[in-house]
Amino acid sequence: MLAVYDDALPAVYGYLLRRCTDQRVAEDLTSETFLAAMDAVRRDDTARPTTPWLIGVARHKLADHWRRMQRTPDPVEEVPDTGDDEWDAHLDRMVAHHTLATLSPTHRAVLTLRYVDDLPVGDCAALLDRTVGATEALLTRAKRAFRAAYPDTDTRSGSTGSRRGGHA
């Protein structure tokens, strides 16, 4: 193997460098090629590496490198912030409070108890002195009124006009 190494090294390295144009990558792939050749010779005593055979191994190593590069995304210098901006959350709260203020006191009360205080419908019904069925119907009407009063967000955030705050 050492005898072939001296003769084949320039040919293998040149082959890889012409195809990948990055000296560091060509050097790494050349190393991988000769390591793979050494493994093959150790496994098979009859294997006699030649320069063309080593270039064939290098071709496979280069193909493996290209496949890895296709699967590996380019590194990003700075990770984009995907979380909600604090200002957007504050603005949404302000709009929701304003929208609640425009509703009737009964609608405002049931929505606040259910979605702000996070009470179950049964507890909301007890506090409002209503039956559970009547409270569920009231919640449905209050949510409909809230959605109707809530301003379109496309004027604020450039979205598609869907209404935010539909959680109420």
Side-chain angles (χ1 to χ4, degrees), residues 45-57:
D45 291 339
T46 62
R48 298 288 173 242
T50 63
T51 299
W53 180 76
L54 287 166
I55 288 176
V57 173

Side-chain angles (χ1 to χ4, degrees), residues 33-111:
T33 298
F34 282 98
L35 288 173
M38 290 293 289
D39 286 343
V41 169
R42 284 186 190 137
R43 283 192 312 268
D44 184 4
D45 291 339
T46 62
R48 298 288 173 242
T50 63
T51 299
W53 180 76
L54 287 166
I55 288 176
V57 173
R59 182 180 306 113
H60 288 284
K61 293 298 176 186
L62 184 59
D64 292 343
H65 169 73
W66 286 336
R67 277 192 289 273
R68 279 191 308 270
M69 294 308 295
Q70 286 177 340
R71 287 190 303 257
T72 306
D74 291 333
V76 178
E77 298 245 347
E78 193 174 308
V79 178
D81 182 18
T82 58
D84 287 339
D85 184 38
E86 286 183 22
W87 173 249
D88 285 343
H90 179 67
L91 186 58
D92 285 345
R93 277 191 301 277
M94 287 174 46
V95 172
H97 282 268
H98 173 74
T99 303
L100 275 173
T102 65
L103 300 180
S104 71
T106 309
H107 285 172
R108 186 170 46 246
V110 73
L111 289 173

Side-chain angles (χ1 to χ4, degrees), residues 1-65:
M1 183 69 187
L2 291 177
V4 175
Y5 177 82
D6 289 335
D7 292 336
L9 179 63
V12 171
Y13 176 72
Y15 171 85
L16 292 166
L17 185 61
R18 282 189 302 277
R19 282 154 181 80
C20 68
T21 67
D22 183 336
Q23 183 177 353
R24 185 188 55 77
V25 172
E27 289 170 358
D28 289 346
L29 293 175
T30 300
S31 296
E32 289 179 29
T33 298
F34 282 98
L35 288 173
M38 290 293 289
D39 286 343
V41 169
R42 284 186 190 137
R43 283 192 312 268
D44 184 4
D45 291 339
T46 62
R48 298 288 173 242
T50 63
T51 299
W53 180 76
L54 287 166
I55 288 176
V57 173
R59 182 180 306 113
H60 288 284
K61 293 298 176 186
L62 184 59
D64 292 343
H65 169 73

